[in-house]
Amino acid sequence: MTAIAGLLVLALLGQAQPSTYYWRDAAGQTHITNTPPPPDAEVLQAPPPPAVEPGKATHTEVVRPSAGLDGQPQVQLSPGQKQAWKSLEERLAKARSEGDRQTLQAVADSLFSDCLWGHGLWARPAAPVLAVALLGLLGWWFAFGLRASLRAPLIAGALLLGLVLAQLLLNTMLYRPQAARLHQNMVLLEQHLGLGKALRPEHLRLLQQHYQALKQAADPLQPPWRFPMEVKALRAALKQVMVEP
């Protein structure tokens, strides 16, 4: 059952994420949606801020994150990233001035998805699946010449070893990079909410609790389904904070 649950989690992780569409209607109103725009809409080029890559060397001004996880490195932005975040802040300010809750949530959702699956992270769930398949195939190959009573234990042991390796790959190659990118970019989002908005202390504490839970869920000793659950909880909290900071 554990093996089946783990493979199901990996399959869900590999599912394609919904696209985000930026468009302007006939009245000149800008929209950000997860569904294609109507035929008469003017499609705009998406300007989402690039997700900050942990450990990427830059020589620009250091952006001081708000208090978060112990040992969290400071984030440095390139000039292009600074401009992208400034554009995002202007977009959020316009949405807040117009009371456009849908745009506030859609922008946050787009950034959240980019942190999870951008820059090639979408392909990494394949590595744990391949590890299970490869170890299972090797176990079957070694057991092929043995008597029947030894085949099943050898194949089962190879699959179990494959699941252990898959868990390590899942956490090191996917969960940990996702947790770091989410934490860093959500902290940056806290500083670019638009109209000079700042998070209330209770909302700041709520997000910090989710960051801590996300980091703990990325530990290899945690069950593989805990991290997606924490990601879902953080996404819901972020949408709440975006609308009512």
Side-chain angles (χ1 to χ4, degrees), residues 147-201:
R147 59 178 184 268
S149 60
L150 297 178
R151 291 176 187 171
L154 182 58
I155 295 175
L159 287 174
L160 181 60
L161 182 60
L163 287 173
V164 172
L165 178 59
Q167 173 74 349
L168 292 175
L169 291 174
L170 183 65
N171 286 87
T172 57
M173 295 183 62
L174 185 66
Y175 286 172
R176 288 183 181 179
Q178 285 181 332
R181 292 180 64 184
L182 280 171
H183 184 202
Q184 289 180 338
N185 285 275
M186 294 308 103
V187 167
L188 285 170
L189 184 60
E190 294 171 14
Q191 304 167 2
H192 298 81
L193 294 176
L195 297 181
K197 290 286 186 179
L199 290 180
R200 298 201 297 265

Side-chain angles (χ1 to χ4, degrees), residues 90-134:
E90 293 172 353
R91 180 183 294 275
L92 292 177
K94 184 174 185 295
R96 291 191 188 284
S97 64
E98 297 174 352
D100 190 350
R101 298 164 61 98
Q102 182 180 1
T103 296
L104 292 173
Q105 292 184 347
V107 169
D109 208 37
S110 176
L111 177 61
F112 204 94
S113 296
D114 182 59
C115 291
L116 286 175
W117 304 109
H119 298 273
L121 287 181
W122 61 269
R124 295 191 181 186
V129 175
L130 290 175
V132 176
L134 179 60

Side-chain angles (χ1 to χ4, degrees), residues 47-50 79-89:
Q81 288 173 328
K82 288 181 181 180
Q83 182 59 43
W85 279 101
K86 182 179 178 181
S87 299
L88 176 73
E89 186 171 15

